Amino acid sequence: MPELPEVETIRADLDPLLQGRRIEGLRIHKPDIVLGGITPSEFGRLLRGRTFLRVSRRAKYLLFELDRDTVLQTHLRMTGRFAIGPSLPGEAGFRHIAAEFRLDDGRTLFYDDVRRLGGFLVLSGEEWARVAARLGPEPLGRFSSGDLLRIFHNLRAPIKNVLLDQRRLAGVGNIYASEALFRAEIDPRRPAGSLTSEEARRLHRSVRRVLREALRSSGTTLRDYRAVSGASGQYQNRLRVYGREGEKCPRCRKTIERIVQAGRSSFLCSSCQN
DNA sequence: CTTGTACCCTGACCGC
DNA sequence: TGCGGTCAGGGTACAA
């Protein structure tokens, strides 16, 4: 479900609510969200009594940094969501609660995940560092168009697929890949290595602009994604091509097409994008 | 190394 | 109303 802007929105919501809170108890309702080959009760033993230092993000991972060198790594995949309550935003569709973390202020952190593709993994700081080292750079961090050009160098894979590869570039997913390529006027089928430095500059600018704008809009809500409060994002109203197959291109008025790449939909205007 | 495919899982939607 | 097929902001394991 969530790409960088959505995960970052959730991170910013959770951080002030969780800092300094201690986990008093937890309940796992769906054991398959506990990763790392441990049982839910072992998972509970590792986390009970731990205190949240901060909530951070890397790529599409949400990280609960706890005391005693403990990192709770979470990935929401397609349908994972968090809420904090005494009560749940029940009307917002929390009907598949997978885990509850009872906090020392009387509130509870809820994790809901219809498809249960998301999960939690308990790591040490060093173990997490090894995971993080395998991820590509953060596009909104110190990241130049030259860095992007080097990522693309000699790759024959379609540029769209490369943008989605988290080992090469972190945080971009299916929506924002299509949106950035449209704005940069680059065809998603182009071999990544064929981009000129001018095209890499355009794409660099587009990726950063789309992600920043989406972040300012609190993300894109198409189905399941919600902020921690239950509020929808707003960027779905500003998408130019994603999900708009058959509609007119906002630039040239030709018809927006949908194609399939690496088993996933890409949306483009083949007249504007070359 | 690179690239493509199957798979994980549930629910919404569409055509018949 | 039911049934089958398709699709969905994700990543991984494995094959070629």
Side-chain angles (χ1 to χ4, degrees), chain A residues 16-37:
Chain A
L17 295 169
L18 292 179
Q19 262 194 38
R21 299 279 61 78
R22 195 177 68 246
I23 300 171
E24 292 205 325
L26 58 164
R27 294 177 59 182
I28 303 299
H29 303 287
K30 310 287 182 182
D32 43 0
I33 58 143
V34 175
L35 307 178

Short mmCIF file of all heavy atoms in Angstrom, two decimals, chain A residues 16-37:
data_model
loop_
_atom_site.label_atom_id
_atom_site.label_comp_id
_atom_site.label_asym_id
_atom_site.label_seq_id
_atom_site.Cartn_x
_atom_site.Cartn_y
_atom_site.Cartn_z
N PRO A 16 5.59 11.41 17.83
CA PRO A 16 5.30 12.15 19.08
C PRO A 16 4.38 11.38 20.03
O PRO A 16 4.42 11.61 21.24
CB PRO A 16 4.63 13.43 18.58
CG PRO A 16 4.15 13.14 17.21
CD PRO A 16 5.07 12.10 16.64
N LEU A 17 3.58 10.47 19.47
CA LEU A 17 2.66 9.72 20.33
C LEU A 17 3.37 8.60 21.08
O LEU A 17 2.92 8.18 22.16
CB LEU A 17 1.53 9.12 19.48
CG LEU A 17 0.60 10.14 18.82
CD1 LEU A 17 -0.30 9.45 17.79
CD2 LEU A 17 -0.24 10.85 19.87
N LEU A 18 4.46 8.10 20.51
CA LEU A 18 5.11 6.92 21.09
C LEU A 18 6.37 7.22 21.88
O LEU A 18 6.77 6.43 22.74
CB LEU A 18 5.43 5.90 19.99
CG LEU A 18 4.21 5.24 19.34
CD1 LEU A 18 4.64 4.28 18.24
CD2 LEU A 18 3.36 4.50 20.38
N GLN A 19 7.02 8.34 21.60
CA GLN A 19 8.28 8.65 22.28
C GLN A 19 8.12 8.60 23.80
O GLN A 19 7.25 9.28 24.36
CB GLN A 19 8.77 10.03 21.87
CG GLN A 19 9.82 9.98 20.79
CD GLN A 19 10.54 11.30 20.62
OE1 GLN A 19 10.82 11.99 21.59
NE2 GLN A 19 10.84 11.62 19.38
N GLY A 20 8.97 7.79 24.42
CA GLY A 20 8.94 7.70 25.87
C GLY A 20 7.93 6.70 26.42
O GLY A 20 7.95 6.41 27.62
N ARG A 21 7.06 6.17 25.57
CA ARG A 21 6.07 5.21 26.04
C ARG A 21 6.71 3.83 26.20
O ARG A 21 7.62 3.47 25.46
CB ARG A 21 4.89 5.10 25.07
CG ARG A 21 4.12 6.41 24.86
CD ARG A 21 3.11 6.66 25.98
NE ARG A 21 3.73 6.77 27.28
CZ ARG A 21 4.36 7.86 27.71
NH1 ARG A 21 4.47 8.91 26.94
NH2 ARG A 21 4.89 7.89 28.92
N ARG A 22 6.23 3.06 27.16
CA ARG A 22 6.74 1.71 27.37
C ARG A 22 5.67 0.70 26.94
O ARG A 22 4.47 0.95 27.12
CB ARG A 22 7.09 1.51 28.84
CG ARG A 22 7.96 0.28 29.10
CD ARG A 22 8.36 0.13 30.55
NE ARG A 22 7.22 -0.20 31.38
CZ ARG A 22 6.71 0.61 32.32
NH1 ARG A 22 7.28 1.77 32.57
NH2 ARG A 22 5.65 0.25 33.01
N ILE A 23 6.12 -0.41 26.37
CA ILE A 23 5.19 -1.48 25.99
C ILE A 23 4.90 -2.32 27.23
O ILE A 23 5.79 -2.99 27.75
CB ILE A 23 5.79 -2.36 24.88
CG1 ILE A 23 6.09 -1.53 23.63
CG2 ILE A 23 4.85 -3.52 24.54
CD1 ILE A 23 6.89 -2.28 22.56
N GLU A 24 3.68 -2.27 27.71
CA GLU A 24 3.34 -3.05 28.91
C GLU A 24 2.89 -4.46 28.56
O GLU A 24 3.12 -5.38 29.33
CB GLU A 24 2.23 -2.32 29.69
CG GLU A 24 2.75 -1.01 30.28
CD GLU A 24 1.96 -0.58 31.49
OE1 GLU A 24 0.72 -0.81 31.51
OE2 GLU A 24 2.57 0.00 32.42
N GLY A 25 2.26 -4.60 27.40
CA GLY A 25 1.84 -5.94 26.99
C GLY A 25 1.45 -5.92 25.54
O GLY A 25 1.26 -4.85 24.96
N LEU A 26 1.37 -7.09 24.94
CA LEU A 26 0.96 -7.13 23.55
C LEU A 26 0.18 -8.40 23.25
O LEU A 26 0.32 -9.40 23.95
CB LEU A 26 2.14 -6.96 22.60
CG LEU A 26 3.31 -7.93 22.64
CD1 LEU A 26 4.13 -7.78 21.37
CD2 LEU A 26 4.19 -7.65 23.83
N ARG A 27 -0.65 -8.30 22.24
CA ARG A 27 -1.44 -9.44 21.81
C ARG A 27 -1.28 -9.58 20.31
O ARG A 27 -1.45 -8.62 19.57
CB ARG A 27 -2.91 -9.24 22.17
CG ARG A 27 -3.16 -9.21 23.67
CD ARG A 27 -4.61 -8.94 24.00
NE ARG A 27 -5.49 -9.94 23.42
CZ ARG A 27 -6.82 -9.90 23.54
NH1 ARG A 27 -7.40 -8.90 24.19
NH2 ARG A 27 -7.57 -10.83 23.01
N ILE A 28 -0.96 -10.79 19.89
CA ILE A 28 -0.82 -11.07 18.47
C ILE A 28 -2.04 -11.89 18.05
O ILE A 28 -2.22 -13.02 18.49
CB ILE A 28 0.48 -11.87 18.19
CG1 ILE A 28 1.70 -11.10 18.70
CG2 ILE A 28 0.59 -12.19 16.70
CD1 ILE A 28 1.91 -9.75 18.06
N HIS A 29 -2.86 -11.31 17.18
CA HIS A 29 -4.06 -12.01 16.73
C HIS A 29 -3.82 -12.82 15.47
O HIS A 29 -4.53 -13.78 15.20
CB HIS A 29 -5.19 -11.00 16.48
CG HIS A 29 -5.50 -10.17 17.68
ND1 HIS A 29 -6.15 -10.66 18.78
CD2 HIS A 29 -5.21 -8.87 17.97
CE1 HIS A 29 -6.29 -9.70 19.69
NE2 HIS A 29 -5.72 -8.61 19.22
N LYS A 30 -2.82 -12.41 14.69
CA LYS A 30 -2.49 -13.11 13.44
C LYS A 30 -1.01 -13.44 13.45
O LYS A 30 -0.18 -12.60 13.12
CB LYS A 30 -2.81 -12.23 12.23
CG LYS A 30 -4.20 -11.62 12.23
CD LYS A 30 -5.25 -12.65 11.92
CE LYS A 30 -6.63 -11.99 11.88
NZ LYS A 30 -7.70 -12.97 11.63
N PRO A 31 -0.66 -14.68 13.84
CA PRO A 31 0.74 -15.04 14.04
C PRO A 31 1.62 -14.83 12.81
O PRO A 31 2.83 -14.63 12.96
CB PRO A 31 0.68 -16.53 14.40
CG PRO A 31 -0.72 -16.76 14.83
CD PRO A 31 -1.58 -15.77 14.13
N ASP A 32 1.05 -14.87 11.62
CA ASP A 32 1.93 -14.79 10.45
C ASP A 32 2.52 -13.40 10.20
O ASP A 32 3.35 -13.24 9.31
CB ASP A 32 1.26 -15.34 9.17
CG ASP A 32 -0.16 -14.91 9.01
OD1 ASP A 32 -0.66 -14.17 9.88
OD2 ASP A 32 -0.79 -15.29 8.02
N ILE A 33 2.13 -12.40 11.00
CA ILE A 33 2.80 -11.11 10.85
C ILE A 33 4.08 -11.04 11.69
O ILE A 33 4.82 -10.06 11.59
CB ILE A 33 1.88 -9.94 11.23
CG1 ILE A 33 1.40 -10.09 12.68
CG2 ILE A 33 0.69 -9.85 10.28
CD1 ILE A 33 1.31 -8.78 13.38
N VAL A 34 4.33 -12.05 12.50
CA VAL A 34 5.58 -12.10 13.27
C VAL A 34 6.64 -12.79 12.41
O VAL A 34 6.52 -13.98 12.12
CB VAL A 34 5.40 -12.84 14.60
CG1 VAL A 34 6.74 -12.99 15.32
CG2 VAL A 34 4.40 -12.11 15.49
N LEU A 35 7.64 -12.06 12.01
CA LEU A 35 8.67 -12.59 11.12
C LEU A 35 9.91 -12.97 11.91
O LEU A 35 10.04 -12.67 13.09
CB LEU A 35 9.02 -11.54 10.06
CG LEU A 35 7.83 -10.97 9.27
CD1 LEU A 35 8.30 -9.91 8.29
CD2 LEU A 35 7.06 -12.07 8.56
N GLY A 36 10.82 -13.66 11.23
CA GLY A 36 12.09 -14.00 11.86
C GLY A 36 12.09 -15.37 12.50
O GLY A 36 13.02 -15.71 13.24
N GLY A 37 11.07 -16.18 12.21
CA GLY A 37 11.07 -17.55 12.69
C GLY A 37 10.91 -17.69 14.20
O GLY A 37 11.38 -18.67 14.77
#
